Amino acid sequence: MDLLELMTDRISALAMLSRSSSQVQFVDVVNDVALICEWMQFEVIFCKPCEDLRALIAVVVGRSGLSHIDYGMLRLEGDEEDEIEGEVPIKLEVRNSMARDLLLFYSNFLRPFLQSLYIVIARLLAGDDVIEESKTIRKWCREQIANSTLLPFPLLLEAVNSDSFRNSLRFLRYKAILSSDSKHFDREQAEEIRMGLLRMLEIQ
């Protein structure tokens, strides 16, 4: 298993556990995994620029990967060819309770990175500035540990680290949500990402 497959396994686990329905559409999981890959692009390199990320995700989530008929953690209902041709949507569900426990275990490898991004966005939405970036990040690290219960999810201590906070700021600048000089902040786009992160971080 290469790095892409390994990371996609874990991201797919996170995407599946964030869905409240017992059955979810295959395409929704692929879209969620692609979205998480976008959020985490400064933490992990997922594939070469020439590769089709969604196609690679579909393979890993499909019957040759997580939905393998014999040892997959997911059960796939429908024909993958129908999904590709836009006919009958295929659905995924967690195979059993043991598979769910494994998915939860895998998802916890990535949850800290998403929590870091959530924390950074939440602090910026609350009015913090990052003109003095290093100083602000140190403050976030101190205060987040002291006020971990204020978050809408159980904080994983691995999420509170300067590297991930800095990478989160890099991502926001890359997406032009935060200006390069840190003086301008697109609150609307940031709130949209915050809500998406919250959905992913809530285990159903």
PDB file of all heavy atoms in Angstrom, residues 39-68:
ATOM      1  N   TRP A  39      -8.097  20.435   2.296  1.00  0.00           N
ATOM      2  CA  TRP A  39      -7.814  21.107   3.565  1.00  0.00           C
ATOM      3  C   TRP A  39      -6.434  20.746   4.098  1.00  0.00           C
ATOM      4  O   TRP A  39      -5.787  21.554   4.762  1.00  0.00           O
ATOM      5  CB  TRP A  39      -8.856  20.707   4.612  1.00  0.00           C
ATOM      6  CG  TRP A  39     -10.227  21.250   4.372  1.00  0.00           C
ATOM      7  CD1 TRP A  39     -10.567  22.338   3.616  1.00  0.00           C
ATOM      8  CD2 TRP A  39     -11.461  20.733   4.891  1.00  0.00           C
ATOM      9  NE1 TRP A  39     -11.929  22.525   3.632  1.00  0.00           N
ATOM     10  CE2 TRP A  39     -12.504  21.557   4.407  1.00  0.00           C
ATOM     11  CE3 TRP A  39     -11.780  19.655   5.711  1.00  0.00           C
ATOM     12  CZ2 TRP A  39     -13.843  21.335   4.724  1.00  0.00           C
ATOM     13  CZ3 TRP A  39     -13.110  19.428   6.030  1.00  0.00           C
ATOM     14  CH2 TRP A  39     -14.134  20.264   5.543  1.00  0.00           C
ATOM     15  N   MET A  40      -5.986  19.530   3.801  1.00  0.00           N
ATOM     16  CA  MET A  40      -4.745  19.038   4.398  1.00  0.00           C
ATOM     17  C   MET A  40      -3.558  19.090   3.451  1.00  0.00           C
ATOM     18  O   MET A  40      -2.533  18.465   3.712  1.00  0.00           O
ATOM     19  CB  MET A  40      -4.955  17.599   4.892  1.00  0.00           C
ATOM     20  CG  MET A  40      -5.920  17.499   6.049  1.00  0.00           C
ATOM     21  SD  MET A  40      -6.063  15.805   6.640  1.00  0.00           S
ATOM     22  CE  MET A  40      -4.361  15.441   7.023  1.00  0.00           C
ATOM     23  N   GLN A  41      -3.664  19.840   2.373  1.00  0.00           N
ATOM     24  CA  GLN A  41      -2.610  19.797   1.361  1.00  0.00           C
ATOM     25  C   GLN A  41      -1.265  20.307   1.858  1.00  0.00           C
ATOM     26  O   GLN A  41      -0.226  19.986   1.271  1.00  0.00           O
ATOM     27  CB  GLN A  41      -3.038  20.573   0.120  1.00  0.00           C
ATOM     28  CG  GLN A  41      -3.316  22.041   0.345  1.00  0.00           C
ATOM     29  CD  GLN A  41      -3.904  22.688  -0.899  1.00  0.00           C
ATOM     30  OE1 GLN A  41      -3.194  22.944  -1.850  1.00  0.00           O
ATOM     31  NE2 GLN A  41      -5.199  22.918  -0.894  1.00  0.00           N
ATOM     32  N   PHE A  42      -1.237  21.070   2.941  1.00  0.00           N
ATOM     33  CA  PHE A  42       0.042  21.521   3.480  1.00  0.00           C
ATOM     34  C   PHE A  42       0.543  20.616   4.604  1.00  0.00           C
ATOM     35  O   PHE A  42       1.590  20.868   5.186  1.00  0.00           O
ATOM     36  CB  PHE A  42      -0.062  22.969   3.956  1.00  0.00           C
ATOM     37  CG  PHE A  42      -0.181  23.946   2.819  1.00  0.00           C
ATOM     38  CD1 PHE A  42      -1.402  24.499   2.482  1.00  0.00           C
ATOM     39  CD2 PHE A  42       0.930  24.277   2.062  1.00  0.00           C
ATOM     40  CE1 PHE A  42      -1.523  25.383   1.418  1.00  0.00           C
ATOM     41  CE2 PHE A  42       0.823  25.163   0.995  1.00  0.00           C
ATOM     42  CZ  PHE A  42      -0.401  25.716   0.670  1.00  0.00           C
ATOM     43  N   GLU A  43      -0.217  19.567   4.903  1.00  0.00           N
ATOM     44  CA  GLU A  43       0.219  18.580   5.889  1.00  0.00           C
ATOM     45  C   GLU A  43       0.742  17.314   5.210  1.00  0.00           C
ATOM     46  O   GLU A  43       1.687  16.699   5.677  1.00  0.00           O
ATOM     47  CB  GLU A  43      -0.949  18.203   6.818  1.00  0.00           C
ATOM     48  CG  GLU A  43      -1.485  19.343   7.669  1.00  0.00           C
ATOM     49  CD  GLU A  43      -0.583  19.680   8.853  1.00  0.00           C
ATOM     50  OE1 GLU A  43       0.499  19.068   8.989  1.00  0.00           O
ATOM     51  OE2 GLU A  43      -0.965  20.567   9.637  1.00  0.00           O
ATOM     52  N   VAL A  44       0.095  16.910   4.109  1.00  0.00           N
ATOM     53  CA  VAL A  44       0.446  15.664   3.420  1.00  0.00           C
ATOM     54  C   VAL A  44       0.353  15.887   1.915  1.00  0.00           C
ATOM     55  O   VAL A  44      -0.565  16.556   1.442  1.00  0.00           O
ATOM     56  CB  VAL A  44      -0.515  14.517   3.815  1.00  0.00           C
ATOM     57  CG1 VAL A  44      -0.151  13.236   3.076  1.00  0.00           C
ATOM     58  CG2 VAL A  44      -0.477  14.281   5.317  1.00  0.00           C
ATOM     59  N   ILE A  45       1.290  15.335   1.157  1.00  0.00           N
ATOM     60  CA  ILE A  45       1.209  15.351  -0.304  1.00  0.00           C
ATOM     61  C   ILE A  45       0.469  14.089  -0.726  1.00  0.00           C
ATOM     62  O   ILE A  45       0.922  12.977  -0.463  1.00  0.00           O
ATOM     63  CB  ILE A  45       2.611  15.388  -0.943  1.00  0.00           C
ATOM     64  CG1 ILE A  45       3.342  16.665  -0.530  1.00  0.00           C
ATOM     65  CG2 ILE A  45       2.511  15.299  -2.466  1.00  0.00           C
ATOM     66  CD1 ILE A  45       4.784  16.711  -0.976  1.00  0.00           C
ATOM     67  N   PHE A  46      -0.662  14.248  -1.399  1.00  0.00           N
ATOM     68  CA  PHE A  46      -1.518  13.099  -1.672  1.00  0.00           C
ATOM     69  C   PHE A  46      -1.247  12.422  -3.008  1.00  0.00           C
ATOM     70  O   PHE A  46      -1.371  11.216  -3.129  1.00  0.00           O
ATOM     71  CB  PHE A  46      -2.994  13.516  -1.592  1.00  0.00           C
ATOM     72  CG  PHE A  46      -3.425  13.775  -0.188  1.00  0.00           C
ATOM     73  CD1 PHE A  46      -3.407  15.053   0.334  1.00  0.00           C
ATOM     74  CD2 PHE A  46      -3.803  12.728   0.623  1.00  0.00           C
ATOM     75  CE1 PHE A  46      -3.778  15.278   1.646  1.00  0.00           C
ATOM     76  CE2 PHE A  46      -4.183  12.955   1.932  1.00  0.00           C
ATOM     77  CZ  PHE A  46      -4.166  14.228   2.439  1.00  0.00           C
ATOM     78  N   CYS A  47      -0.918  13.165  -4.026  1.00  0.00           N
ATOM     79  CA  CYS A  47      -0.638  12.524  -5.310  1.00  0.00           C
ATOM     80  C   CYS A  47       0.141  13.488  -6.190  1.00  0.00           C
ATOM     81  O   CYS A  47       0.240  14.679  -5.910  1.00  0.00           O
ATOM     82  CB  CYS A  47      -1.927  12.086  -6.006  1.00  0.00           C
ATOM     83  SG  CYS A  47      -3.013  13.430  -6.504  1.00  0.00           S
ATOM     84  N   LYS A  48       0.686  12.960  -7.267  1.00  0.00           N
ATOM     85  CA  LYS A  48       1.431  13.786  -8.204  1.00  0.00           C
ATOM     86  C   LYS A  48       0.479  14.727  -8.931  1.00  0.00           C
ATOM     87  O   LYS A  48      -0.694  14.405  -9.124  1.00  0.00           O
ATOM     88  CB  LYS A  48       2.151  12.890  -9.211  1.00  0.00           C
ATOM     89  CG  LYS A  48       3.151  11.933  -8.576  1.00  0.00           C
ATOM     90  CD  LYS A  48       3.714  10.976  -9.607  1.00  0.00           C
ATOM     91  CE  LYS A  48       4.654   9.973  -8.958  1.00  0.00           C
ATOM     92  NZ  LYS A  48       5.154   8.973  -9.921  1.00  0.00           N
ATOM     93  N   PRO A  49       0.967  15.890  -9.351  1.00  0.00           N
ATOM     94  CA  PRO A  49       0.093  16.857 -10.036  1.00  0.00           C
ATOM     95  C   PRO A  49      -0.602  16.295 -11.272  1.00  0.00           C
ATOM     96  O   PRO A  49      -1.687  16.734 -11.627  1.00  0.00           O
ATOM     97  CB  PRO A  49       1.064  17.981 -10.414  1.00  0.00           C
ATOM     98  CG  PRO A  49       2.177  17.868  -9.429  1.00  0.00           C
ATOM     99  CD  PRO A  49       2.324  16.402  -9.138  1.00  0.00           C
ATOM    100  N   CYS A  50       0.017  15.294 -11.911  1.00  0.00           N
ATOM    101  CA  CYS A  50      -0.560  14.767 -13.146  1.00  0.00           C
ATOM    102  C   CYS A  50      -1.660  13.741 -12.879  1.00  0.00           C
ATOM    103  O   CYS A  50      -2.346  13.301 -13.798  1.00  0.00           O
ATOM    104  CB  CYS A  50       0.526  14.129 -14.010  1.00  0.00           C
ATOM    105  SG  CYS A  50       1.377  12.753 -13.205  1.00  0.00           S
ATOM    106  N   GLU A  51      -1.847  13.339 -11.637  1.00  0.00           N
ATOM    107  CA  GLU A  51      -2.819  12.300 -11.325  1.00  0.00           C
ATOM    108  C   GLU A  51      -4.188  12.895 -11.012  1.00  0.00           C
ATOM    109  O   GLU A  51      -4.303  14.017 -10.527  1.00  0.00           O
ATOM    110  CB  GLU A  51      -2.328  11.459 -10.138  1.00  0.00           C
ATOM    111  CG  GLU A  51      -1.100  10.625 -10.463  1.00  0.00           C
ATOM    112  CD  GLU A  51      -0.603   9.849  -9.260  1.00  0.00           C
ATOM    113  OE1 GLU A  51      -0.583  10.405  -8.156  1.00  0.00           O
ATOM    114  OE2 GLU A  51      -0.217   8.684  -9.437  1.00  0.00           O
ATOM    115  N   ASP A  52      -5.222  12.111 -11.285  1.00  0.00           N
ATOM    116  CA  ASP A  52      -6.597  12.503 -11.001  1.00  0.00           C
ATOM    117  C   ASP A  52      -6.923  12.046  -9.582  1.00  0.00           C
ATOM    118  O   ASP A  52      -7.134  10.856  -9.335  1.00  0.00           O
ATOM    119  CB  ASP A  52      -7.537  11.851 -12.017  1.00  0.00           C
ATOM    120  CG  ASP A  52      -8.987  12.282 -11.827  1.00  0.00           C
ATOM    121  OD1 ASP A  52      -9.346  12.736 -10.719  1.00  0.00           O
ATOM    122  OD2 ASP A  52      -9.769  12.164 -12.786  1.00  0.00           O
ATOM    123  N   LEU A  53      -6.986  12.990  -8.654  1.00  0.00           N
ATOM    124  CA  LEU A  53      -7.172  12.644  -7.245  1.00  0.00           C
ATOM    125  C   LEU A  53      -8.493  11.926  -7.013  1.00  0.00           C
ATOM    126  O   LEU A  53      -8.546  10.911  -6.312  1.00  0.00           O
ATOM    127  CB  LEU A  53      -7.088  13.905  -6.388  1.00  0.00           C
ATOM    128  CG  LEU A  53      -7.288  13.710  -4.878  1.00  0.00           C
ATOM    129  CD1 LEU A  53      -6.255  12.754  -4.317  1.00  0.00           C
ATOM    130  CD2 LEU A  53      -7.234  15.054  -4.157  1.00  0.00           C
ATOM    131  N   ARG A  54      -9.573  12.428  -7.610  1.00  0.00           N
ATOM    132  CA  ARG A  54     -10.878  11.802  -7.380  1.00  0.00           C
ATOM    133  C   ARG A  54     -10.919  10.368  -7.900  1.00  0.00           C
ATOM    134  O   ARG A  54     -11.528   9.496  -7.283  1.00  0.00           O
ATOM    135  CB  ARG A  54     -11.984  12.638  -8.020  1.00  0.00           C
ATOM    136  CG  ARG A  54     -12.275  13.919  -7.256  1.00  0.00           C
ATOM    137  CD  ARG A  54     -13.358  14.748  -7.918  1.00  0.00           C
ATOM    138  NE  ARG A  54     -13.579  15.977  -7.196  1.00  0.00           N
ATOM    139  CZ  ARG A  54     -14.414  16.106  -6.173  1.00  0.00           C
ATOM    140  NH1 ARG A  54     -15.124  15.070  -5.772  1.00  0.00           N
ATOM    141  NH2 ARG A  54     -14.550  17.262  -5.553  1.00  0.00           N
ATOM    142  N   ALA A  55     -10.270  10.127  -9.027  1.00  0.00           N
ATOM    143  CA  ALA A  55     -10.234   8.764  -9.563  1.00  0.00           C
ATOM    144  C   ALA A  55      -9.465   7.837  -8.622  1.00  0.00           C
ATOM    145  O   ALA A  55      -9.872   6.694  -8.380  1.00  0.00           O
ATOM    146  CB  ALA A  55      -9.593   8.766 -10.950  1.00  0.00           C
ATOM    147  N   LEU A  56      -8.371   8.341  -8.062  1.00  0.00           N
ATOM    148  CA  LEU A  56      -7.593   7.543  -7.119  1.00  0.00           C
ATOM    149  C   LEU A  56      -8.392   7.268  -5.843  1.00  0.00           C
ATOM    150  O   LEU A  56      -8.355   6.165  -5.297  1.00  0.00           O
ATOM    151  CB  LEU A  56      -6.292   8.269  -6.784  1.00  0.00           C
ATOM    152  CG  LEU A  56      -5.266   8.363  -7.920  1.00  0.00           C
ATOM    153  CD1 LEU A  56      -4.145   9.315  -7.540  1.00  0.00           C
ATOM    154  CD2 LEU A  56      -4.705   7.000  -8.277  1.00  0.00           C
ATOM    155  N   ILE A  57      -9.128   8.274  -5.388  1.00  0.00           N
ATOM    156  CA  ILE A  57      -9.966   8.094  -4.200  1.00  0.00           C
ATOM    157  C   ILE A  57     -11.028   7.034  -4.461  1.00  0.00           C
ATOM    158  O   ILE A  57     -11.277   6.153  -3.627  1.00  0.00           O
ATOM    159  CB  ILE A  57     -10.625   9.426  -3.802  1.00  0.00           C
ATOM    160  CG1 ILE A  57      -9.575  10.421  -3.299  1.00  0.00           C
ATOM    161  CG2 ILE A  57     -11.690   9.196  -2.718  1.00  0.00           C
ATOM    162  CD1 ILE A  57     -10.102  11.837  -3.156  1.00  0.00           C
ATOM    163  N   ALA A  58     -11.663   7.107  -5.630  1.00  0.00           N
ATOM    164  CA  ALA A  58     -12.724   6.154  -5.965  1.00  0.00           C
ATOM    165  C   ALA A  58     -12.202   4.723  -5.963  1.00  0.00           C
ATOM    166  O   ALA A  58     -12.896   3.798  -5.521  1.00  0.00           O
ATOM    167  CB  ALA A  58     -13.323   6.506  -7.330  1.00  0.00           C
ATOM    168  N   VAL A  59     -10.979   4.531  -6.423  1.00  0.00           N
ATOM    169  CA  VAL A  59     -10.390   3.189  -6.439  1.00  0.00           C
ATOM    170  C   VAL A  59     -10.167   2.693  -5.014  1.00  0.00           C
ATOM    171  O   VAL A  59     -10.487   1.548  -4.673  1.00  0.00           O
ATOM    172  CB  VAL A  59      -9.061   3.188  -7.229  1.00  0.00           C
ATOM    173  CG1 VAL A  59      -8.318   1.869  -7.028  1.00  0.00           C
ATOM    174  CG2 VAL A  59      -9.333   3.420  -8.709  1.00  0.00           C
ATOM    175  N   VAL A  60      -9.635   3.558  -4.168  1.00  0.00           N
ATOM    176  CA  VAL A  60      -9.335   3.153  -2.789  1.00  0.00           C
ATOM    177  C   VAL A  60     -10.619   2.862  -2.009  1.00  0.00           C
ATOM    178  O   VAL A  60     -10.679   1.923  -1.216  1.00  0.00           O
ATOM    179  CB  VAL A  60      -8.501   4.241  -2.078  1.00  0.00           C
ATOM    180  CG1 VAL A  60      -8.322   3.909  -0.603  1.00  0.00           C
ATOM    181  CG2 VAL A  60      -7.137   4.376  -2.744  1.00  0.00           C
ATOM    182  N   VAL A  61     -11.665   3.647  -2.246  1.00  0.00           N
ATOM    183  CA  VAL A  61     -12.924   3.449  -1.531  1.00  0.00           C
ATOM    184  C   VAL A  61     -13.725   2.297  -2.130  1.00  0.00           C
ATOM    185  O   VAL A  61     -14.505   1.646  -1.432  1.00  0.00           O
ATOM    186  CB  VAL A  61     -13.763   4.751  -1.550  1.00  0.00           C
ATOM    187  CG1 VAL A  61     -15.113   4.540  -0.882  1.00  0.00           C
ATOM    188  CG2 VAL A  61     -13.014   5.878  -0.850  1.00  0.00           C
ATOM    189  N   GLY A  62     -13.509   1.996  -3.396  1.00  0.00           N
ATOM    190  CA  GLY A  62     -14.309   1.005  -4.116  1.00  0.00           C
ATOM    191  C   GLY A  62     -13.993  -0.441  -3.774  1.00  0.00           C
ATOM    192  O   GLY A  62     -13.346  -0.747  -2.772  1.00  0.00           O
ATOM    193  N   ARG A  63     -14.447  -1.338  -4.650  1.00  0.00           N
ATOM    194  CA  ARG A  63     -14.387  -2.778  -4.365  1.00  0.00           C
ATOM    195  C   ARG A  63     -12.974  -3.346  -4.339  1.00  0.00           C
ATOM    196  O   ARG A  63     -12.757  -4.439  -3.822  1.00  0.00           O
ATOM    197  CB  ARG A  63     -15.227  -3.540  -5.396  1.00  0.00           C
ATOM    198  CG  ARG A  63     -16.719  -3.418  -5.139  1.00  0.00           C
ATOM    199  CD  ARG A  63     -17.505  -4.532  -5.822  1.00  0.00           C
ATOM    200  NE  ARG A  63     -18.891  -4.525  -5.387  1.00  0.00           N
ATOM    201  CZ  ARG A  63     -19.864  -3.863  -5.993  1.00  0.00           C
ATOM    202  NH1 ARG A  63     -19.593  -3.145  -7.072  1.00  0.00           N
ATOM    203  NH2 ARG A  63     -21.097  -3.902  -5.535  1.00  0.00           N
ATOM    204  N   SER A  64     -12.023  -2.629  -4.896  1.00  0.00           N
ATOM    205  CA  SER A  64     -10.648  -3.120  -4.828  1.00  0.00           C
ATOM    206  C   SER A  64      -9.929  -2.621  -3.578  1.00  0.00           C
ATOM    207  O   SER A  64      -8.779  -2.982  -3.338  1.00  0.00           O
ATOM    208  CB  SER A  64      -9.865  -2.678  -6.077  1.00  0.00           C
ATOM    209  OG  SER A  64      -9.831  -1.266  -6.167  1.00  0.00           O
ATOM    210  N   GLY A  65     -10.626  -1.803  -2.781  1.00  0.00           N
ATOM    211  CA  GLY A  65     -10.012  -1.248  -1.579  1.00  0.00           C
ATOM    212  C   GLY A  65     -10.871  -1.450  -0.344  1.00  0.00           C
ATOM    213  O   GLY A  65     -11.115  -2.579   0.084  1.00  0.00           O
ATOM    214  N   LEU A  66     -11.360  -0.351   0.217  1.00  0.00           N
ATOM    215  CA  LEU A  66     -12.118  -0.420   1.469  1.00  0.00           C
ATOM    216  C   LEU A  66     -13.417  -1.204   1.346  1.00  0.00           C
ATOM    217  O   LEU A  66     -13.941  -1.691   2.349  1.00  0.00           O
ATOM    218  CB  LEU A  66     -12.431   0.999   1.964  1.00  0.00           C
ATOM    219  CG  LEU A  66     -11.262   1.788   2.557  1.00  0.00           C
ATOM    220  CD1 LEU A  66     -11.691   3.215   2.850  1.00  0.00           C
ATOM    221  CD2 LEU A  66     -10.745   1.121   3.813  1.00  0.00           C
ATOM    222  N   SER A  67     -13.953  -1.310   0.138  1.00  0.00           N
ATOM    223  CA  SER A  67     -15.217  -2.039  -0.055  1.00  0.00           C
ATOM    224  C   SER A  67     -14.994  -3.429  -0.646  1.00  0.00           C
ATOM    225  O   SER A  67     -15.896  -4.002  -1.261  1.00  0.00           O
ATOM    226  CB  SER A  67     -16.150  -1.228  -0.966  1.00  0.00           C
ATOM    227  OG  SER A  67     -16.434   0.029  -0.409  1.00  0.00           O
ATOM    228  N   HIS A  68     -13.800  -3.967  -0.460  1.00  0.00           N
ATOM    229  CA  HIS A  68     -13.510  -5.312  -0.963  1.00  0.00           C
ATOM    230  C   HIS A  68     -14.518  -6.302  -0.385  1.00  0.00           C
ATOM    231  O   HIS A  68     -14.838  -6.260   0.809  1.00  0.00           O
ATOM    232  CB  HIS A  68     -12.088  -5.721  -0.582  1.00  0.00           C
ATOM    233  CG  HIS A  68     -11.608  -6.955  -1.277  1.00  0.00           C
ATOM    234  ND1 HIS A  68     -11.982  -8.224  -0.873  1.00  0.00           N
ATOM    235  CD2 HIS A  68     -10.796  -7.121  -2.356  1.00  0.00           C
ATOM    236  CE1 HIS A  68     -11.420  -9.113  -1.665  1.00  0.00           C
ATOM    237  NE2 HIS A  68     -10.694  -8.479  -2.575  1.00  0.00           N
TER     238      HIS A  68
END
